[in-house]
Amino acid sequence: MEPVTGRSTAGQGVGRWARPLAMALVVVAILAVALFAIRGQSGGGVEATIVAAGHAEVGHAGPDFTTPALNGGTVRLSSLRGKVVLINFWATWCTACQAEMPAIEQAWDRYRGRGLDVIAVDFREGNKAAMQRFLSQVGAKFTAALDPDGKIADAYGVTFGLPTSVFVDRDGTVRVIHLGQMAPDFIDQQALSLL
């Protein structure tokens, strides 16, 4: 009779492959993450929104951001230095945004020759067709920017309560943060005070 040693040879074939298999899976996962990151940076995918550190606060520089424009290209806040910028956070489901946008368009038409620019930042949506339809219905022709992950909204403290508007002066300093729909004369007053 042979002695019992307590060792089984039944799983030895599987055991010697477990470590190399696990390492191979780790390598594949790392390569997949790297490929995803490279595609995002090289233009193979949708351009990412980049936001500088900080939070919008009246009297301080507005956090710079670079993000895709709805109609192509990119929007970068700092490239508009020397202009007064109205950053308007909106969404397609927002009825107050729909009511407010024509007044913003009219102010932009009146004052863009004097240095007013508008960036309409869409709040956490990704349906470009719906956004374009909305802007067309309200007659908005100014720049519309994408913020599907809410990075710009977070930096500007926009978590709810649309529309929210931020007036930035020619030096890039936040001068007014307004929660809710703006009346046409309020838009004119703020724009004229900064132009």
Side-chain angles (χ1 to χ4, degrees):
M1 197 162 144
E2 291 192 27
V4 178
T5 61
R7 295 178 81 196
S8 170
T9 59
Q12 287 182 354
V14 174
R16 76 178 145 156
W17 292 103
R19 177 170 254 187
L21 181 60
M23 291 180 76
L25 289 173
V26 168
V27 169
V28 169
I30 290 170
L31 289 174
V33 169
L35 179 62
F36 180 79
I38 290 168
R39 280 192 69 207
Q41 292 174 359
S42 68
V46 175
E47 289 183 52
T49 299
I50 301 167
V51 181
H55 295 285
E57 193 175 332
V58 173
H60 296 274
D64 193 19
F65 59 84
T66 303
T67 195
L70 179 59
N71 293 326
T74 58
V75 178
R76 183 172 187 165
L77 179 61
S78 61
S79 72
L80 298 173
R81 282 284 156 77
K83 293 186 174 190
V84 172
V85 181
L86 166 54
I87 305 168
N88 179 257
F89 293 90
W90 65 284
T92 59
W93 47 262
C94 171
T95 56
C97 300
Q98 188 172 20
E100 176 186 68
M101 284 256 185
I104 294 173
E105 174 69 25
Q106 291 167 1
W108 179 66
D109 280 341
R110 269 194 303 278
Y111 304 122
R112 66 180 165 174
R114 293 175 57 184
L116 176 67
D117 215 330
V118 175
I119 303 172
V121 179
D122 183 70
F123 183 75
R124 299 182 188 268
E125 295 181 303
N127 185 335
K128 290 182 180 181
M131 292 179 228
Q132 288 170 331
R133 192 168 40 255
F134 177 95
L135 293 170
S136 177
Q137 287 173 350
V138 297
K141 296 177 188 77
F142 43 73
T143 301
L146 304 176
D147 189 24
D149 297 327
K151 292 177 183 177
I152 302 169
D154 290 346
Y156 280 81
V158 179
T159 55
F160 64 92
L162 296 178
T164 296
S165 298
V166 180
F167 287 86
V168 178
D169 70 14
R170 294 178 187 272
D171 296 324
T173 302
V174 174
R175 292 298 173 195
V176 175
I177 298 174
H178 181 82
L179 177 62
Q181 183 178 342
M182 297 182 292
D185 51 343
F186 178 83
I187 299 169
D188 285 344
Q189 178 185 10
Q190 299 311 312
L192 287 171
S193 72
L194 298 173
L195 288 172

